[in-house]
Each structure stands twice: as structure tokens, then as C-alpha cells.
Amino acid sequence: MEALGRHILVELYNCDNEKINDVAYIESSMLAATRASGATIISHNFHKFSPHGVSGVVVIAESHVSIHSWPEYNYAAIDIFTCGDTIDPMIIRDTLKKDFQAETISSREIKRGMIKPKAGKKLLHKPQQQILEK
Amino acid sequence: MEALGRHILVELYNCDNEKINDVAYIESSMLAATRASGATIISHNFHKFSPHGVSGVVVIAESHVSIHSWPEYNYAAIDIFTCGDTIDPMIIRDTLKKDFQAETISSREIKRGMIKPKAGKKLLHKPQQQILEK
């Protein structure tokens, strides 16, 4: 059995609450971190809530990167779901931890899609594909 | 300690491969399931890949719902990340399992954002907030 995807669930605690409430800063940081990992960005959406909190998702050819922040608790939840082995999700995790000045991090990795490839075949991942429609 | 969010990671195996390759069907199914759960939809993006596969994310006021499908393996990965207790993520999971005709399902729940509320205070979730910017 092989996994189609790697999913890194990251809890960032004791973040700088102004940084994780700044939608422009978060968007810029998430896009730069995602590009640095080698991922191909397809679309992105970021939203600011009132009185505080930001949600954002970057859809990548290799799956997605998301954030939900609770500045009132100095906390942000990050998900980095990737497939294929051409990109390094840990670059995204470590960049965001630094950008949001998180003092405490909890990170776990979950394998997604356990598939048994046919004899002599390799598991295929989306990075080898083309984007057909947006 | 209390959790800010519930994250349901769902693996749908042995799905109907035409259904999980049909971006319009997936979008319609995901939006209907999300509405049925009681969630508030903020934005949504769905993409079809060539030769096959769909990625999509629905950002909700209560976090997000996402899908990545590999029709060639009859497999779809679903994430349902919610906060607050006004919506039922299991409605989304069960609706998508049925719509994609998954024969096998694996589902696990992970608590996100373990916070200690201040004495006498309740943990606040995003559903009580307003959307400020899109």
C-alpha cells in the first residue's frame, strides 16, 4: 500500500496576534511560502472576519494549503495537503511558523489515500497532470 | 482545555469514477451538502485536471470543506473543518459518501486548537462573527 497524499496538520500557538489578524500579511506570507515549497498555485481566497480572524485557502496542483486564525487566542490552524514528491510541505510549515512568530508548534502528518498500485506500476500523482478548467 | 475546531478527515474508496471526475456534479454536491449541514458559505473554487481529477474548496464561516479526487483510483479525500457547535459535519460526510457512491469509507476526527478558556469564559468561535471583507 502506498499513500497518494501527505497531510500536515499544524497548530501554531502563541502567535503574534496582529500578524494573524492581518489578511494582507497572511495572504502574502502563505503565497510566498507555497511558492517556496515548489508547489503550483491554481487559485487562492482569503477572508477577514469581524471583529477578528482570517480564513484562507490556496489551491495548488498538488492539493491545498489552508489557514484559519483566531487572533483572540493567538492561534492559527494550518493544513498542508500535498501529493507527489516534488514539493516539500515542511518549507511551508516552517515559513509560516516564523512569519506568524509562533512560540509553540504542534505538527502531525497523516497519510491520505492508501492505494495498492498494480504490479509493476507506480502511483500517479496530480503534479504530472494539466489543469483543464478553472 | 477545549478545542476550537473539529476536523473530520474522510477517505472515500471505491467511488463511482465518473462521478468523482465530474467537476459540475462535485461542485453541486459539495455545496448542497455544506448548506444542509447548516454552514455559511463564503466562497468556493473547483478545478478539473487533465486527464482526470478534481480539486475543490468551499470556505465557510466555520472554516472549510475540501475535496481532492483521483478517479483513476476511485478515491476521493474529503476534509471537513468546522468550529462552533451549530453545524453538523457528519451530514456533509454522509451526503458525499452517498453522492459519490463510495463503497468504503474511512473517517477520523482530530481536535484542532486546544485552548484553555479564561475562568468563567466560554470559548468563542467564528460563527458569532461577521464577514468583513471578501
Side-chain angles (χ1 to χ4, degrees):
Chain A
M1 299 287 267
E2 289 179 33
L4 276 170
R6 297 173 70 184
H7 190 155
I8 322 290
L9 291 89
V10 186
E11 322 298 315
L12 295 181
Y13 294 104
N14 305 312
C15 297
D16 180 303
N17 65 355
E18 289 189 7
K19 288 196 162 56
I20 62 166
N21 199 31
D22 181 338
V23 66
Y25 180 82
I26 289 174
E27 180 168 348
S28 161
S29 170
M30 293 268 288
L31 293 176
T34 303
R35 282 191 200 101
S37 75
T40 302
I41 295 172
I42 296 180
S43 68
H44 53 91
N45 274 292
F46 289 82
H47 307 279
K48 175 123 198 268
F49 294 84
S50 170
H52 36 230
V54 170
S55 281
V57 181
V58 182
V59 177
I60 55 179
E62 302 83 1
S63 293
H64 74 261
V65 186
S66 69
I67 183 168
H68 302 286
S69 76
W70 282 259
E72 65 274 37
Y73 297 116
N74 302 86
Y75 165 76
I78 312 285
D79 283 84
I80 309 161
F81 187 160
T82 64
C83 59
D85 41 21
T86 56
I87 75 171
D88 182 358
M90 299 314 175
I91 290 177
I92 302 175
R93 182 192 67 182
D94 296 344
T95 303
L96 297 181
K97 174 184 185 291
K98 186 174 157 237
D99 284 357
F100 303 148
Q101 299 181 4
E103 288 173 12
T104 314
I105 183 170
S106 158
S107 169
R108 59 200 136 180
E109 177 168 345
I110 293 179
K111 302 282 184 209
R112 303 296 301 266
M114 299 308 295
I115 305 286
K116 191 175 178 183
K118 288 184 184 160
K121 296 269 188 185
K122 276 190 72 174
L123 219 54
L124 292 173
H125 301 282
K126 284 211 187 76
Q128 295 161 318
Q129 302 179 345
Q130 298 291 312
I131 302 156
L132 198 62
E133 295 166 20
K134 282 208 182 182
Chain B
M1 298 287 266
E2 288 178 34
L4 275 171
R6 297 173 69 184
H7 190 156
I8 322 292
L9 291 90
V10 187
E11 322 298 317
L12 295 181
Y13 294 104
N14 305 312
C15 297
D16 180 301
N17 64 355
E18 290 190 5
K19 288 194 162 58
I20 61 165
N21 199 31
D22 181 337
V23 65
Y25 181 82
I26 290 174
E27 179 168 348
S28 161
S29 170
M30 292 268 289
L31 292 176
T34 302
R35 282 190 199 102
S37 76
T40 302
I41 295 173
I42 296 180
S43 68
H44 53 92
N45 274 292
F46 289 82
H47 307 280
K48 175 124 197 267
F49 294 84
S50 171
H52 35 230
V54 171
S55 281
V57 181
V58 183
V59 178
I60 55 178
E62 302 83 1
S63 295
H64 74 261
V65 186
S66 69
I67 183 168
H68 303 286
S69 76
W70 282 260
E72 66 275 37
Y73 296 116
N74 302 86
Y75 165 75
I78 312 285
D79 283 85
I80 310 161
F81 187 161
T82 64
C83 59
D85 42 20
T86 57
I87 75 171
D88 182 358
M90 299 312 175
I91 290 178
I92 302 175
R93 182 192 68 181
D94 296 344
T95 303
L96 298 180
K97 175 182 185 291
K98 186 172 159 237
D99 285 356
F100 303 147
Q101 298 181 6
E103 288 173 13
T104 313
I105 183 170
S106 159
S107 169
R108 57 200 134 180
E109 178 168 344
I110 292 178
K111 303 283 183 205
R112 304 294 303 265
M114 299 307 294
I115 304 286
K116 190 173 179 184
K118 289 186 182 155
K121 296 268 186 184
K122 276 191 72 173
L123 219 54
L124 292 175
H125 302 283
K126 282 210 189 76
Q128 296 160 318
Q129 302 178 345
Q130 298 290 311
I131 302 157
L132 198 60
E133 296 165 21
K134 280 206 181 184

